[in-house]
């Protein structure tokens, strides 16, 4: 595996791949790899001749009071893990190389970004789409893999690719969970022992909601019933502050009132005002 840090060098690498007619799969990440990231790398491996993983803690997608400065980072550790997955290139640029002093452009997707994480984290998705558009231009992938854990992000990227005609296939990977059910996240490393139960309440509430739906015919279930059930499970934990609990259509991300096979439960919860966790699940079926 080769470590590339300069945008000029990565452009040269991808140019050579294209000249050799090799397909490229990209996995954009912010590092501190866990099994979720590694599964995305394996999916990329299956879909392309060459796999590029980007590791960049993108400052412009963090709000002023968020965890940019404490975000876990260990390039050596992550290099080892990526190499173990047969990744060809780990692209880990410096902040100044991605955003030089005179940088002044934003890629902004409207519509899908005004709700859920978009309303709790103003500017977040502009930061995401801007960096992902840059990564797409630098690495010119044929396919790019994103996790369904960040469901709204995946939907926004798909829209950006459609709207702006990027010739890239966007593939979503199902959520990878710990044995306990906790959705894997680099931010889980902030959790202290005593906070685990509260963190697990997201998954437990999802299980309860799915169980509730499975025992009834869907048209008999209101989103309001699901939200109230989920609210009760999470709110039981003093450490939890609910950012949002919503049932939305899995394509438009607009609120659902009745449960259908396209109803997606989406959650964002802050633990002890320090750790923001998200999770989601389709309510009916697999
Ligand atoms: P991050 O490094 O957190 O920005 O994540 C990089 C990519 O990995 C994103 O596409 C995430 O959605 C995906 N990802 C993170 N955690 C998981 C998980 N538990 N399961 C599946 N994909 C994940």
């Amino acid at each position: 595996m080769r470590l590339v840090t300069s945008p000029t060098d990565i452009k040269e690498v991808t140019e050579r791949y294209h000249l050799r007619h090799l397909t490229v799969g990209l996995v954009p990440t912010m590092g501190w790899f866990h099994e979720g990231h590694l599964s995305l790398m394996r999916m990329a491996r299956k879909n392309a001749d060459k796999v590029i993983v980007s590791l960049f803690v993108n400052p412009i997608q963090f709000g002023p009071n968020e965890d940019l400065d404490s975000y876990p980072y260990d390039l050596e550790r992550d290099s080892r893990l990526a190499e173990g997955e047969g990744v060809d290139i780990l692209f880990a640029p410096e902040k100044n190389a991605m955003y030089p002093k005179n940088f002044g452009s934003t890629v902004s997707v409207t519509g899908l970004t005004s709700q859920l994480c978009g309303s709790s984290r103003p500017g977040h998705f502009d930061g995401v789409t801007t960096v992902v558009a840059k990564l797409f231009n630098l690495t010119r992938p044929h396919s790019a893999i994103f996790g369904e854990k960040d469901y709204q992000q995946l939907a926004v990227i798909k829209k950006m690719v459609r709207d702006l005609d990027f010739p890239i296939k966007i593939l979503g990977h199902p959520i990878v969970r710990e044995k306990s059910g906790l959705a894997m996240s680099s931010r889980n490393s902030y959790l202290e022992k005593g906070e685990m139960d509260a963190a697990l309440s997201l998954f437990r509430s999802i299980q309860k909601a799915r169980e509730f739906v499975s025992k009834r015919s869907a048209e008999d279930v209101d989103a309001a019933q699901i939200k109230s059930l989920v609210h009760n499970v999470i709110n039981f934990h003093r450490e939890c502050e609910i950012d949002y609990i919503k049932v939305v259509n899995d394509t438009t991300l607009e609120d659902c009132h009745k449960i259908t096979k396209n109803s997606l439960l989406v959650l964002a919860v802050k633990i002890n005002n320090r750790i923001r966790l998200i999770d989601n699940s389709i309510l009916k079926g697999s």
Side-chain angles (χ1 to χ4, degrees), residues 107-280:
V107 178
S108 189
V109 170
T110 55
L112 285 177
T113 53
S114 57
Q115 62 271 57
L116 308 176
C117 290
S119 53
S120 346
R121 304 183 69 188
H124 169 67
F125 285 115
D126 282 359
V128 169
T129 42
T130 301
V131 80
V132 171
K134 276 176 73 72
L135 291 169
F136 283 174
N137 286 327
L138 289 168
T139 62
R140 295 167 59 204
H142 298 78
S143 54
I145 325 286
F146 292 85
E148 287 175 0
K149 152 112 186 324
D150 301 86
Y151 195 94
Q152 187 176 15
Q153 169 174 281
L154 172 61
V156 169
I157 298 295
K158 281 183 179 165
K159 184 163 165 57
M160 175 185 83
V161 162
R162 261 196 321 271
D163 286 352
L164 301 182
D165 303 303
F166 281 101
I168 301 170
K169 195 157 126 197
I170 303 300
L171 302 171
H173 188 289
I175 299 179
V176 179
R177 297 180 181 281
E178 303 282 357
K179 269 210 184 90
S180 62
L182 181 69
M184 290 193 179
S185 164
S186 306
R187 290 191 166 100
N188 291 350
S189 62
Y190 303 145
L191 287 167
E192 287 167 15
K193 246 196 173 155
E195 293 171 323
M196 210 42 101
D197 223 33
L200 263 173
S201 68
L202 280 81
F203 178 65
R204 291 210 185 105
S205 73
I206 287 176
Q207 278 183 311
K208 284 240 158 80
R210 285 177 55 95
E211 219 175 276
F212 185 87
V213 172
S214 73
K215 286 184 182 149
R216 293 162 177 81
S217 52
E219 55 278 13
D220 292 345
V221 185
D222 284 328
Q225 289 173 284
I226 299 293
K227 286 192 275 190
S228 142
L229 182 158
V230 168
H231 187 279
N232 290 341
V233 174
I234 296 175
N235 224 26
F236 175 78
H237 298 269
R238 274 182 316 150
E239 301 90 338
C240 292
E241 189 197 330
I242 294 167
D243 178 354
Y244 61 75
I245 297 169
K246 295 247 181 193
V247 179
V248 298
N249 175 280
D250 63 351
T251 308
T252 63
L253 303 187
E254 280 166 7
D255 284 352
C256 281
H257 300 292
K258 285 281 175 199
I259 305 306
T260 70
K261 65 177 178 17
N262 299 108
S263 299
L264 183 80
L265 171 63
V266 279
L267 312 174
V269 174
K270 249 188 168 171
I271 311 286
N272 283 333
N273 212 22
R274 289 177 13 255
I275 312 160
R276 190 174 182 279
L277 300 179
I278 55 173
D279 205 337
N280 68 79

Side-chain angles (χ1 to χ4, degrees), residues 33-52:
F33 296 150
H34 50 68
E35 190 54 35
H37 295 114
L38 304 185
S39 308
L40 266 59
M41 294 175 200
R42 274 172 230 141
M43 189 171 183
R45 179 80 283 155
K46 282 195 190 129
N47 281 279
D49 299 318
K50 296 286 177 185
V51 175
I52 302 180

Side-chain angles (χ1 to χ4, degrees), residues 8-160:
T8 313
D9 290 350
I10 196 77
K11 278 196 270 192
E12 271 175 28
V13 170
T14 46
E15 179 59 20
R16 278 201 300 275
Y17 287 161
H18 278 258
L19 288 173
R20 290 165 60 200
H21 303 290
L22 295 169
T23 56
V24 175
L26 172 70
V27 183
T29 81
M30 297 205 300
W32 198 252
F33 296 150
H34 50 68
E35 190 54 35
H37 295 114
L38 304 185
S39 308
L40 266 59
M41 294 175 200
R42 274 172 230 141
M43 189 171 183
R45 179 80 283 155
K46 282 195 190 129
N47 281 279
D49 299 318
K50 296 286 177 185
V51 175
I52 302 180
V53 173
S54 63
L55 192 173
F56 182 59
V57 184
N58 176 35
I60 66 168
Q61 72 185 66
F62 287 78
N65 299 317
E66 294 186 350
D67 56 342
L68 174 63
D69 294 334
S70 53
Y71 203 84
Y73 183 85
D74 184 338
L75 186 57
E76 239 179 75
R77 168 189 181 275
D78 283 351
S79 297
R80 244 182 294 117
L81 290 169
E83 184 147 33
E85 295 304 329
V87 167
D88 295 284
I89 306 282
L90 183 63
F91 176 51
E94 293 289 333
K95 182 181 139 201
N96 293 341
M98 289 295 271
Y99 303 118
K101 264 208 181 87
N102 53 354
F103 185 87
S105 301
T106 303
V107 178
S108 189
V109 170
T110 55
L112 285 177
T113 53
S114 57
Q115 62 271 57
L116 308 176
C117 290
S119 53
S120 346
R121 304 183 69 188
H124 169 67
F125 285 115
D126 282 359
V128 169
T129 42
T130 301
V131 80
V132 171
K134 276 176 73 72
L135 291 169
F136 283 174
N137 286 327
L138 289 168
T139 62
R140 295 167 59 204
H142 298 78
S143 54
I145 325 286
F146 292 85
E148 287 175 0
K149 152 112 186 324
D150 301 86
Y151 195 94
Q152 187 176 15
Q153 169 174 281
L154 172 61
V156 169
I157 298 295
K158 281 183 179 165
K159 184 163 165 57
M160 175 185 83

